[in-house]
Amino acid sequence: MNPTLLPRHIAIIMDGNGRWATKRHLPRVAGHRVGVDAVHRIVTACVEKKIEVVSLFAFSSENWQRPSDEVSFLMDLFLTALEREAEKLHKQNIQLRVIGGRERFDKRLQRQIDRVEELTLSNTGLKLNVAANYGGRWDIYQAFKQLATDIEAGTLTSQTMTLEMISQKIALSDLPEPDLFIRTGGEQRISNFLLWQLAYTELYFTDVLWPDFDVAEFEHALAFFANRERRFGLTSEQIKAQQNA
Ligand code: FPP
C-alpha cells in the first residue's frame, strides 16, 4: 500500500471480548485474556507499518459498573500485561502513555503505569496510548477545569479564551488527531471515546469480534482508509486543486 495513504494515528475500540467467550461457553473474562493477544498482533503490525500513533480504549469510565469480578480481572490483566510487556515495549522503541483518571486504580497499578511511562518516555518509535478509566466527556471537562483555574487566577477571560487553548488541554494534544477509528464487535458507536479528537476521523466498523481481529482484518480497515477522500469541510474540487498544486 502507498505509505502516503496510511493513517498516522489509529484509534481503536476493542469490542466483543465477552461475546467471543460466551459463544465458546467460556467465562467472559477468557475473551479479555485472548484480547491481549489481539493487542499484541495489532501493535506489532503497526510497528512494522511504521504507523506513528495508536490509541486503544481499554477501560471506559462506565466499565466500573460491570460485575466486580470482571472489573478485578481486567485490573489484574492490565497489571500483569504492563509488568510482562514493559521491557518488550521498550526494546521495540515504543512510547507508552496511559490517558484517563488513574487515581481510581490501586496504588500498585498506578506505580506500574508510572514506571512504564517513565521507562519508555524518550522512545521515538510507535506512540501507544492506552485509555483507561477514560471518557471523552471527562477529557473535555478536565480541559475546561484547567482553563477555569486560569480564569480564577485572572490570567484568562472569556474574551481572550480561544478554541486552540481548549485543544491544547485535551489529552494527546501534542499528537496528530486520529485519522482512522476502528471499532470491532458490530456496534456503530463512539461510546464516549476521544470525542474532541475524532472530529474529522474516518470511522470504520466491523462485525469481527476483537479476539478474532487479525492482520488481514486490520488490512481491510487500512484499505478502507486509503480509499477515503478526506475533505475537512472543503469541497471535493478544492481538495483536488490542493493535491495538484
Ligand atoms: C470490550 O469488550 C473490551 C473491554 C472492555 C476490555 C478491553 C481490554 C482488553 C482487550 C485487554 C487488554 C488491553 C490492554 C491494553 C493490555 P466487551 O467485554 O464489551 O465485549 P462484549 O461487547 O462482547 O461484551
Side-chain angles (χ1 to χ4, degrees):
M1 190 182 293
N2 179 346
T4 58
L5 298 176
L6 274 177
R8 295 179 67 190
H9 182 172
I10 305 177
I12 308 180
I13 296 190
M14 310 177 286
D15 198 12
N17 293 347
R19 277 166 288 158
W20 183 94
T22 307
K23 264 175 43 182
R24 287 166 178 74
H25 309 288
L26 295 169
R28 288 176 51 82
V29 294
H32 296 315
R33 193 177 288 124
V34 183
V36 178
D37 299 338
V39 171
H40 255 277
R41 271 197 306 269
I42 300 310
V43 168
T44 306
C46 289
V47 171
E48 281 165 8
K49 291 176 186 300
K50 300 201 166 48
I51 303 286
E52 288 172 53
V53 190
V54 174
S55 299
L56 304 175
F57 206 2
F59 195 85
S60 75
S61 11
E62 291 77 31
N63 286 151
W64 294 107
Q65 292 156 30
R66 291 195 172 195
S68 64
D69 53 348
E70 184 172 340
V71 171
S72 325
F73 182 92
L74 280 167
M75 293 301 138
D76 286 347
L77 195 67
F78 297 148
L79 183 64
T80 30
L82 281 172
E83 285 172 348
R84 213 182 39 214
E85 303 297 327
E87 283 304 326
K88 285 187 229 161
L89 291 170
H90 189 42
K91 281 211 183 82
Q92 290 184 87
N93 197 22
I94 295 174
Q95 185 192 84
L96 183 99
R97 200 187 300 185
V98 174
I99 57 167
R102 58 182 77 173
E103 69 295 327
R104 208 167 154 185
F105 296 136
D106 82 31
K107 287 278 174 297
R108 207 166 142 215
L109 181 53
Q110 289 188 35
R111 273 200 303 275
Q112 187 58 23
I113 292 173
D114 291 345
R115 223 175 268 150
V116 185
E117 282 186 337
E118 223 177 283
L119 175 72
T120 62
L121 185 65
S122 314
N123 288 346
T124 53
L126 175 73
K127 292 187 167 42
L128 176 61
N129 305 307
V130 175
N133 190 26
Y134 176 88
R137 289 182 178 172
W138 166 86
D139 196 358
I140 296 168
Y141 160 76
Q142 66 77 28
F144 272 89
K145 246 179 119 123
Q146 290 184 55
L147 293 173
T149 314
D150 295 341
I151 291 173
E152 283 162 6
T155 53
L156 183 66
T157 69
S158 62
Q159 295 304 307
T160 56
M161 188 194 289
T162 62
L163 197 106
E164 191 52 31
M165 285 176 192
I166 304 172
S167 281
Q168 281 166 5
K169 303 285 188 202
I170 298 275
L172 312 179
S173 62
D174 55 324
L175 301 176
E177 288 178 354
D179 304 293
L180 172 64
F181 163 95
I182 300 173
R183 180 173 187 149
T184 61
E187 307 293 350
Q188 305 205 349
R189 288 193 287 270
I190 308 273
S191 294
N192 202 18
F193 196 20
L194 304 159
L195 292 181
W196 181 278
Q197 300 86 334
L198 290 173
Y200 290 104
T201 306
E202 297 294 336
L203 306 178
Y204 178 83
F205 299 98
T206 170
D207 288 338
V208 174
L209 305 175
W210 177 251
D212 292 327
F213 194 72
D214 57 15
V215 174
E217 296 296 342
F218 185 48
E219 299 275 0
H220 288 319
L222 296 177
F224 158 87
F225 178 78
N227 285 316
R228 305 302 301 166
E229 178 191 62
R230 305 188 71 202
R231 296 209 290 268
F232 300 98
L234 302 180
T235 66
S236 193
E237 289 69 27
Q238 286 174 306
I239 295 291
K240 293 209 171 79
Q242 278 181 357
Q243 285 165 349
N244 294 332

